[in-house]
Amino acid sequence: MPLRSIKQALLDLRDERRLDRVKMVDLTNCTFDGHIYDVRRVMEECLAIKPDLVFLWDEAWFGFAHWSPFLRPRTAMGAAADIERWLLEPESIKAFEKQQSDLGGKPSRQALLDTRLIPDPRKVRLRVYQTNSTHKSMSAIRQGSMVLVKDVDFGAVESQFHEAVFTHASTSPNQQIIASLDVARRQMELEGYGLVWNAIQIALDIRREIAGHPLISKYFSILGADKMVPAEYRQSGFVDFLAPGSDWADAVRSMRQDEFCLDPTRMTLVCGTAAFDGSQFKALLANEYGIQVNKTSRNSVLLQSNINNTRSDVAQLIRVLLEISKSLDKQLGNGAAARDEFAGRVKALMVDVPDLPNFSRFHDHYRGNAGEKTPEGDMRTAFYGAYDADQCEYVPLVGDEIDRRLKDGAEMVSANFVIPYPPGFPILVPGQVVTVETVDFMRKLDVREIHGYDAARGLKLIRLHRQAAPTARPVEHAAA
Ligand SMILES: Cc1ncc(COP(=O)(O)O)c(C=O)c1O
């Protein structure tokens, strides 16, 4: 989510005098695939628009980053510590005031979007939360995770915070998990920097070996930063860890300057060019070679190096990729028919990729007190509305009925979260209008797992004409 879009939404809400309704910004850092925000910049610019915003950074996959001096400033707690220091410096107020006078009394929308906004240090309430799945990248047992808090107002919310944890977690004794968290913490305190540097080194070695091997590189590649992060978000001009002439100083510059940088430990290995789809390749690596991948996409698998990896793991992975490459070479030596089939499959996986549809919109029924400019909706009412079976219906994904209704019928409204895996995030949420783009995408998907979609019955919809109106808006909002 580019910062510009976040600022745009906040400014739209401010123009509509509804900024008071925004309580928190919730972002995933870093993503599965390794996109890391410029966390400090995001928080500073948002705080310049609303100084009491709360930030929740889902850093499930990024707990280890604390132990890299390069990655730490791009974690929520690392950035919050930097902002806290900045807030105490006398120069900060001067910088804020200078920017205010440069911007003038009524800065244009364009100026606000183009400027790196400085918050008013006297107004900022620094309220930052970071979640880490310690078990994902360190030595904790499953479910061992942490919420890190840096909130000047924590005293006022602490009891609600604990209540929320108890609502969502087991209340039974769980000392085994706590003990493993303690072990993980101790291990990282004592050895963390070396272990994380090792994980980064291993990832660079894997990248180098794959790119440099004449046979493996015929079929497989690891996507560079240039393929993972569009150029407009790589202001430093960083191309990749292995780009000719590039060294670690370039990577560090990217980590300091770029709106999004790439975590070196995530390696998106393209397997579509070897005619494997992601799920197929994942199964092959797991079943035949004992290698676990992190996640799949249609034409790639995601490898992640960890604090426990060794040079032997690199050697094992390269040996396996070489073995698979050799067998592909042999298969393609079997004549033109085999080569045509291979080329057709590669094209289907690499070129004929269905476009991921953008979020369409919430049905008006769920937009009760929303404004004109921002797309928010009341997902909760739609979600619980779908608990009433009489209010729901199913429409098969393929067939005349859905085409007819898309063309001339009343808008169809999703009752569920529909989440194909891969990619693993919703293409429909409760209350969202189903569009031609969504249906096209689902028809082209060839994945087996689609959460929230029952292939035998079809898409689950809410029958709006039979639903009561959503609950009345709260008085304070009505007044606003
Ligand atoms: C982005 C993200 N956040 C949160 C979680 C949940 O983490 P946990 O199982 O530690 O609660 C996951 C799990 O895969 C995740 O990918």
Side-chain angles (χ1 to χ4, degrees):
M1 175 64 68
L3 176 56
R4 203 177 173 86
S5 307
I6 300 171
K7 283 169 71 177
Q8 182 99 41
L10 292 174
L11 292 169
D12 282 343
L13 288 159
R14 182 162 85 179
D15 288 354
E16 292 185 339
R17 299 182 179 281
R18 294 186 308 124
L19 196 54
D20 63 304
R21 297 193 56 197
V22 187
K23 305 294 179 200
M24 187 170 83
V25 171
D26 177 6
L27 294 165
T28 299
N29 184 57
C30 72
T31 63
F32 254 131
D33 312 87
H35 303 91
I36 308 173
Y37 280 93
D38 184 341
V39 178
R40 177 172 179 176
R41 179 167 180 179
V42 169
M43 293 202 285
E44 284 181 350
E45 293 215 44
C46 289
L47 289 169
I49 301 173
K50 188 166 196 282
D52 62 349
L53 264 183
V54 182
F55 296 91
L56 172 57
W57 292 94
D58 179 344
E59 299 197 357
W61 289 98
F62 210 37
F64 69 95
H66 178 85
W67 285 274
S68 159
F70 309 111
L71 297 176
R72 188 196 289 176
R74 299 193 70 135
T75 65
M77 288 301 126
D82 290 341
I83 294 177
E84 188 179 45
R85 265 193 297 277
W86 178 85
L87 288 174
L88 296 173
E89 288 165 11
E91 283 73 34
S92 307
I93 295 181
K94 286 189 207 139
F96 166 75
E97 283 173 347
K98 175 164 187 323
Q99 182 171 79
Q100 289 300 301
S101 94
D102 290 350
L103 281 170
K106 272 201 174 304
S108 67
R109 170 62 64 96
Q110 200 60 34
L112 290 172
L113 290 175
D114 292 343
T115 305
R116 177 172 177 155
L117 299 175
I118 300 176
D120 183 346
R122 292 156 300 193
K123 292 203 178 137
V124 166
R125 306 292 306 164
L126 192 59
R127 309 192 62 189
V128 185
Y129 291 72
Q130 166 183 333
T131 55
N132 284 143
S133 297
T134 314
H135 65 97
K136 286 192 192 352
S137 65
M138 289 166 271
S139 304
I141 59 177
R142 273 284 160 107
Q143 299 192 14
S145 46
M146 300 190 186
V147 185
L148 282 63
V149 179
K150 190 169 190 71
D151 179 353
V152 289
D153 293 330
F154 192 60
V157 294
E158 192 170 356
S159 64
Q160 294 102 297
F161 177 85
H162 287 298
E163 207 159 74
V165 171
F166 284 133
T167 307
H168 294 283
S170 165
T171 52
S172 306
N174 56 0
Q175 275 92 341
Q176 69 283 31
I177 295 177
I178 307 271
S180 87
L181 284 173
D182 235 3
V183 170
R185 184 193 54 73
R186 184 187 166 91
Q187 179 189 30
M188 295 307 279
E189 284 298 336
L190 294 176
E191 309 171 7
Y193 287 96
L195 291 172
V196 170
W197 182 247
N198 174 64
I200 293 174
Q201 199 61 50
I202 294 275
L204 296 178
D205 288 348
I206 292 175
R207 285 184 158 82
R208 194 174 306 109
E209 296 281 342
I210 291 178
H213 197 289
L215 186 53
I216 298 177
S217 62
K218 225 168 115 179
Y219 297 105
F220 298 100
S221 59
I222 289 183
L223 296 182
D226 53 335
K227 299 270 174 27
M228 298 296 292
V229 180
E232 67 209 269
Y233 306 116
R234 279 182 285 116
Q235 291 82 348
S236 73
F238 182 63
V239 176
D240 190 34
F241 302 99
L242 293 188
S246 182
D247 60 20
W248 189 245
D250 297 306
V252 171
R253 205 169 305 116
S254 168
M255 291 176 198
R256 297 226 169 103
Q257 296 175 6
D258 289 346
E259 179 167 350
F260 289 100
C261 67
L262 186 66
D263 174 3
T265 71
R266 315 306 157 107
M267 293 159 279
T268 297
L269 177 73
V270 180
C271 56
T273 40
F276 293 107
D277 69 47
S279 312
Q280 233 182 347
F281 197 58
K282 174 185 172 157
L284 175 70
L285 291 181
N287 300 338
E288 303 291 324
Y289 301 105
I291 295 175
Q292 287 293 333
V293 303
N294 186 315
K295 79 158 179 87
T296 61
S297 81
R298 187 173 154 79
N299 51 25
S300 71
V301 295
L302 180 68
L303 305 171
Q304 185 177 2
S305 60
N306 267 299
I307 58 170
N308 62 314
N309 287 128
T310 62
R311 280 291 309 173
S312 310
D313 299 325
V314 181
Q316 156 80 343
L317 178 68
I318 298 304
R319 185 187 67 73
V320 166
L321 292 178
L322 182 58
E323 196 173 305
I324 297 171
S325 305
K326 278 183 183 161
S327 82
L328 286 171
D329 245 16
K330 196 162 161 219
Q331 197 182 313
L332 293 177
N334 287 342
R339 282 194 292 277
D340 285 350
E341 193 190 328
F342 181 86
R345 176 115 180 104
V346 171
K347 179 170 176 291
L349 288 169
M350 300 301 296
V351 183
D352 308 332
V353 185
D355 281 334
L356 202 58
N358 276 329
F359 174 77
S360 55
R361 61 194 172 79
F362 283 107
H363 190 277
D364 285 345
H365 187 80
Y366 299 109
R367 289 205 12 103
N369 55 353
E372 296 280 303
K373 292 180 171 171
T374 48
E376 74 269 26
D378 174 14
M379 203 173 356
R380 182 184 296 257
T381 301
F383 180 88
Y384 286 112
Y387 275 27
D388 181 352
D390 289 343
Q391 307 281 11
C392 296
E393 60 174 329
Y394 289 84
V395 55
L397 190 60
V398 183
D400 294 343
E401 185 188 347
I402 197 165
D403 291 334
R404 183 176 46 73
R405 288 176 66 173
L406 279 170
K407 199 153 162 256
D408 324 302
E411 283 177 325
M412 291 184 284
V413 179
S414 179
N416 280 350
F417 287 98
V418 177
I419 309 176
Y421 183 90
F425 48 79
I427 53 164
L428 285 172
V429 301
Q432 185 182 335
V433 173
V434 178
T435 58
V436 176
E437 289 74 29
T438 325
V439 170
D440 277 354
F441 179 76
M442 287 192 68
R443 283 178 177 166
K444 284 185 198 156
L445 269 178
D446 54 2
V447 298
R448 263 160 274 151
E449 249 183 275
I450 306 183
H451 301 274
Y453 169 67
D454 181 343
R457 302 171 83 183
L459 277 178
K460 188 174 178 185
L461 305 177
I462 303 182
R463 280 201 270 231
L464 273 180
H465 51 281
R466 298 184 55 178
Q467 276 226 342
T471 13
R473 57 202 263 200
V475 175
E476 76 205 85
H477 297 152

